[in-house]
Amino acid sequence: MEGLASILQSFGVVSGLVTNVTKSSIAPIQCANINLEEILANFPATTTPFPIKYLGLPLSLGRLRRVDLQPYIDKAVARLSPWKGKFLNRAGCTALVKSMLSSMPIFLLVALKADKGILKAFAKISRGMLWACKEAVSGGKCKVNWQKVCRPKELGGLGVLDLERFSRALRLRWLWYEWKAPEKPWVGSETPNDASDLDLFNAATRVTIRNGANASFWSSSWLHGAPPKDLAPLIFKASKRKNRMVQDALADNNWILDIAVDAFTADHMEQYVHLWELLSDIQLHPDTEDSITWSLTPNGCYSASSAYKVQFLASLPCQFGNIVWKTWAPPKCRFFAWLAVQNRLWTADRLAKRGWPHQPTCQLCRTSPETAQHILFECRFSRRIWTAAASWLSCPDLISSIGEGRPKVVDYWLAVSKSTTSSPIGLRSAITLITWEIWKERNERVFNNKSSLPSVVMHKIREEGKDWILAGAKNLAELVG
């Protein structure tokens, strides 16, 4: 310690960066049988146990506990203070949640494999902020399932990050740099990747074999664009050594010697012969390094975005991506449209299912049961507005396109958007505008006991349309002239 103190002192004299020892700390490792007080007598630094924080990350000799990561959750709570949400609409709350999830946890998720409890804690905070401007919210107030909220917009979600999938996409960077930057000092050490990460990485990459020193024989996608474990799963399962490199496995046919033949069946033999035939054409080039290509991007290089999106390949596509998100409208109106096409508005039929107070009949016509499709498209009050809108938009077949008796809101929405018109994109903006004003009129009657005639609502639509055009709705301007 005297030598360390002398080095620090000399460094301070030369550079002018003097170490303040009283503000420094020492974290001992495996020092149970050492008298630290005697050793540190001339070095008055504070002794601190693990876990400690270094460069913003928690370091521990063992597994990190929930309490070690609690400061990150506390920061997220402070960032998403409920009072901020009280001054924002739902679209603004969505932007705030996206901002927090795309910045605060990223540094942590790149370096560590965070526990699922931590990821759920972040999701809980974000969900509460989005739906109720609170730190936590019950399922009853969540209009859309959180897993669906976290899907990309083209798959019917809001585009909020799914932290479990995104953390996996970030961790693949370690595996990519093991190939592309072997000179990094951490290469060869344990990385925070699990078996699922390795499977995703191998599925997203293509390896070109040269000397076979860097590619995993069973897991890397090097044999006709696929990993051998997928081409011969029974042989892979029977292999006693699954971590050989290609060079080592092909040398003296070691991959064959590794196979346990105790329970060999006809299926095993068929896969073995198939794999042997594929490998018989492989020639190694000892003087050339193996190369790897990321198959999910045009330039062949890894990106976290492509690694994140590929994890949603199994999700079903949605019908309403274009009509909601590729339409010019204020964010709050597009958020409303996103809820409406999924039948997630708080109409009487949905309130009744939850046993919440409601008025069972439609407040626009006061005769029919209230549902989302009835309010927006079927109600006689709404029909009068759509008839007036057909003249305003110079779209005479608008009413016939709507039709009757469609089972879902999205069916009506898609039918109207396919009406013959001079500007299909402008028509999508107009549909959002008209349904938004109809919904506002419904809320005025329910909550404020104020009602307006269809002609007055249509006047509001025209005036609001002018504001939208001034704000940038060029296609709507082409439609209304």
Side-chain angles (χ1 to χ4, degrees), residues 321-334:
N322 290 339
I323 62 176
V324 172
W325 302 118
K326 293 187 178 180
T327 297
W328 197 101
K332 64 180 180 181
C333 297
R334 289 196 289 179

Side-chain angles (χ1 to χ4, degrees), residues 211 256 356 412 429:
N211 62 8
I256 298 177
W356 291 353
Y412 279 106
S429 294

Side-chain angles (χ1 to χ4, degrees), residues 217 222-228 230-232 250 255 270-283:
F217 176 80
W222 65 276
L223 189 59
H224 295 278
D230 291 346
L231 299 173
L250 293 182
W255 71 275
E270 181 181 356
Q271 292 186 12
Y272 166 76
V273 172
H274 175 61
L275 182 59
W276 182 81
E277 290 177 345
L278 294 176
L279 293 174
S280 61
D281 298 330
I282 300 298
Q283 296 293 329

